[in-house]
Amino acid sequence: MKKHIRDYFEQIYLMSDEDWELFSSKLVKQNFPKRATLIDSGQVEEYLSFVQRGVVRISSLKNEREHTLGFVFEREFCCAYDSFIARSPADYRIETLTEVELWRIAYLDLQALYRTTTAANILGRHIAEQLFIKKAQRERSLLMQSAEQRYIELFAKKKQWIKCIPLKFLASYIGVTPQALSRIRKRIT
């Protein structure tokens, strides 16, 4: 299975066998059941994870109401990245929505790789850039798109996963009630 992650990484940077052996020796495969908490609010993120299989949800609690901040799908990186970098507690939680298979690297292992290999630095920069782009796109969508446009965009990009995300989480993600999302879905179909 590590071959899949190497293939993915080599779309970014062609690694020598020596660099790959060093990098992959730090990767840990972990499987989680549906509805498992990967990190809870108040904890410091210890891992940068690559989702090999499944769907993950990022959420926060405000005024006793849960808000979906985002989803992470197969072949994407998952991390409370601000907590991971700053070594400070996260103020949101990350949980699995389906059974999930992750390839993970611990913070200290990644820092050691940064000090020893160019490949890790290039991959690390790429991952950070991808996480930033995803966050910037989410912020723009909240500021510039209607709830209907946000739903259509999510549906167009991740159609195969929409069916496994509960309606209340989709509604929260696009910023409407489940009833309003039902009306949006009726208008679209």
Side-chain angles (χ1 to χ4, degrees), residues 94-113:
I94 302 176
E95 67 179 335
T96 63
L97 289 182
T98 64
E99 289 183 357
V100 170
E101 180 180 310
L102 302 176
W103 284 100
R104 307 179 99 188
I105 188 165
Y107 176 83
L108 292 175
D109 288 337
L110 185 58
Q111 298 309 308
L113 288 172

Side-chain angles (χ1 to χ4, degrees), residues 26-138:
K26 305 297 184 189
L27 293 174
V28 176
K29 179 181 169 187
Q30 289 186 289
N31 293 301
F32 294 90
K34 181 178 181 176
R35 305 288 289 174
T37 300
L38 300 179
I39 182 171
D40 214 344
S41 183
Q43 295 178 324
V44 175
E45 177 66 86
E46 294 298 331
Y47 298 97
L48 176 61
S49 301
F50 179 80
V51 180
Q52 179 72 35
R53 181 178 50 85
V55 180
V56 174
R57 174 177 173 249
I58 304 165
S59 64
S60 69
L61 195 61
K62 182 178 179 184
N63 300 328
E64 297 183 30
R65 191 163 164 227
E66 199 172 49
H67 300 274
T68 299
L69 304 175
F71 301 105
V72 183
F73 301 95
E74 287 182 0
R75 300 181 60 82
E76 293 181 345
F77 291 95
C78 177
C79 185
Y81 201 62
D82 52 342
S83 170
F84 185 76
I85 295 300
R87 309 310 301 144
S88 62
D91 60 356
Y92 48 94
R93 89 185 289 203
I94 302 176
E95 67 179 335
T96 63
L97 289 182
T98 64
E99 289 183 357
V100 170
E101 180 180 310
L102 302 176
W103 284 100
R104 307 179 99 188
I105 188 165
Y107 176 83
L108 292 175
D109 288 337
L110 185 58
Q111 298 309 308
L113 288 172
Y114 283 161
R115 289 188 296 274
T116 58
T117 71
T118 300
N121 280 283
I122 291 170
L123 291 171
R125 185 184 79 220
H126 176 79
I127 293 165
E129 289 169 352
Q130 291 305 306
L131 291 169
F132 173 80
I133 288 168
K134 189 172 184 175
K135 183 174 176 49
Q137 288 171 338
R138 173 73 172 143

Side-chain angles (χ1 to χ4, degrees), residues 132-145:
F132 173 80
I133 288 168
K134 189 172 184 175
K135 183 174 176 49
Q137 288 171 338
R138 173 73 172 143
E139 289 172 357
R140 275 195 309 280
S141 77
L142 287 170
L143 292 171
M144 302 172 76
Q145 293 179 319

Side-chain angles (χ1 to χ4, degrees), residues 53-55 73-74 98 158-165:
R53 181 178 50 85
V55 180
F73 301 95
E74 287 182 0
T98 64
K158 303 296 180 183
K159 184 177 183 176
Q160 74 276 19
W161 290 108
I162 294 293
K163 63 182 174 275
C164 73
I165 300 173

Side-chain angles (χ1 to χ4, degrees), residues 25 117 148:
S25 72
T117 71
E148 186 170 321

